[in-house]
Amino acid sequence: MPNTSCMLKIHEVRHTLSAKEQMIADFILQHPHSSVHPTIEELAEQIGVSEATLFRFVKKLGYAGYQQFRIALATDIASPQQRVYETAIDRGLETTVSLVFKTNINAMEETLKHIDPELIQHIAQLCIKSRTLFFFGLGGSSIVALDAYHKLVRTGLSCCAPMDFHMQLMQASQLSAEDTAFLISHTGVNRDALYLAETIKQQGAKLIVITDARRSPLLKLANHSLFAYAQASPFVSEAFSARIVQLALIDCLYVSIMEQLGQSGFDHLERMRSVIAQRRI
């Protein structure tokens, strides 16, 4: 039933479910809107069942995981406008431009309230002491990883940012305790990202996770975490304002590294600029 409505799936399988699973089905059918937003832990607690029971229920519906189920349920109850962007689009209230800018500004301001400047400085020190810095990201997060490489390579530090997942795994298998890896993940629940993080840790390398998921299993593996406090929406899986915040966090790290490197960092920066300047008309 790949294209079947999530609500219809629940109706169709309800008679095959256990008593506990029927409790879940009835709750979601009666409260579909309030069932979209909670995490699996929160929804299970709200219904009064275990996380394992809720996960089995999701699997019986044919979904690979809770996040896929959540998106499917959201698609059922969302208007077409809600599926476009993380904030509901209402043409009568404001223009598209002002909506997008306000959403990004709010995410930046909220992250600024929670960010720890000392943690940024500590991670910068870790980068300077590392043999090589690696930046990993999948899908949209690969753009942030590439931007991090683009920024930090000018510091003179050794950097690497493979884009292909298999190349990432190959590179991760060669890390050591002298290396530091950055893993960017919007949802924090991607299986490939988790496998990549496990591979990094197996090699003894330091792991920095950049995400906006504060209940991600990646956090258990991370040495340090940086959070993007973006407005989460169950109706879309893309990282819109989260991506803007993640890029700003990378900028903060770059500036902190340059400050700590002092003249050495400035020399590397000028060397890079002079080489590029030779190619300008």
Side-chain angles (χ1 to χ4, degrees):
M1 300 183 291
N3 298 317
T4 305
S5 154
C6 179
M7 298 286 282
L8 182 58
K9 283 184 181 183
I10 297 174
H11 277 292
E12 289 178 346
V13 305
R14 187 186 181 284
H15 70 283
T16 68
L17 303 175
S18 67
K20 288 286 188 181
E21 291 166 348
Q22 286 184 4
M23 284 177 57
I24 299 172
D26 292 342
F27 182 90
I28 293 172
L29 290 173
Q30 294 169 19
H31 312 282
H33 287 82
S34 59
S35 299
V36 170
H37 298 276
T39 63
I40 187 170
E41 297 94 339
E42 293 168 342
L43 184 58
E45 183 178 353
Q46 192 173 354
I47 298 173
V49 298
S50 68
E51 292 175 35
T53 302
L54 180 52
F55 186 74
R56 282 196 301 272
F57 169 80
V58 167
K59 296 288 284 187
K60 284 187 177 181
L61 293 179
Y63 298 110
Y66 182 72
Q67 185 68 11
Q68 188 183 56
F69 157 76
R70 202 167 165 233
I71 293 172
L73 179 60
T75 302
D76 267 9
I77 64 176
S79 66
Q81 290 81 9
Q82 285 177 301
R83 301 176 198 175
V84 173
Y85 193 59
E86 60 200 60
T87 303
I89 300 172
D90 189 339
R91 296 284 183 183
L93 295 177
E94 55 188 338
T95 67
T96 300
V97 173
S98 63
L99 171 69
V100 171
F101 271 79
K102 285 180 181 178
T103 302
N104 288 333
I105 290 170
N106 289 339
M108 294 281 280
E109 290 178 339
E110 191 63 25
T111 302
L112 181 59
K113 292 178 186 176
H114 294 88
I115 196 168
D116 181 1
E118 292 186 1
L119 178 58
I120 294 290
Q121 292 181 352
H122 178 73
I123 295 175
Q125 292 174 5
L126 190 61
C127 290
I128 293 171
K129 295 177 181 178
S130 297
R131 179 184 66 175
T132 305
L133 304 177
F134 294 87
F135 302 99
F136 301 114
L138 302 168
S141 296
S142 66
I143 299 170
V144 182
L146 187 59
D147 180 76
Y149 171 79
H150 177 258
K151 293 280 171 45
L152 270 65
V153 72
R154 66 189 68 195
T155 66
L157 301 179
S158 178
C159 301
C160 183
M163 293 290 102
D164 177 79
F165 177 57
H166 285 181
M167 292 296 293
Q168 291 176 351
L169 287 177
M170 292 168 64
Q171 193 71 72
S173 71
Q174 303 302 309
L175 302 187
S176 74
E178 298 178 354
D179 300 313
T180 295
F182 287 80
L183 180 56
I184 299 98
S185 176
H186 166 51
T187 64
V189 293
N190 182 283
R191 289 183 178 179
D192 289 341
L194 186 58
Y195 186 63
L196 189 56
E198 291 170 345
T199 304
I200 292 167
K201 295 303 293 183
Q202 287 172 3
Q203 308 311 313
K206 276 75 69 178
L207 176 62
I208 314 297
V209 170
I210 300 178
T211 183
D212 55 311
R214 278 161 287 284
R215 288 179 177 266
S216 168
L218 289 174
L219 304 182
K220 297 178 181 179
L221 298 170
N223 294 89
H224 300 290
S225 303
L226 294 172
F227 294 105
Y229 284 79
Q231 178 171 327
S233 171
F235 305 118
V236 293
S237 59
E238 296 86 356
F240 290 104
S241 60
R243 185 188 69 252
I244 303 299
V245 176
Q246 290 166 359
L247 292 171
L249 290 171
I250 295 298
D251 287 352
C252 292
L253 185 61
Y254 163 71
V255 173
S256 183
I257 288 175
M258 290 297 289
E259 287 179 339
Q260 294 184 43
L261 286 175
Q263 187 61 44
S264 171
F266 183 75
D267 291 343
H268 284 290
L269 181 60
E270 287 305 305
R271 189 184 310 166
M272 181 269 302
R273 285 176 174 170
S274 65
V275 170
I276 293 177
Q278 295 177 33
R279 309 310 304 163
R280 290 180 179 151
I281 298 174

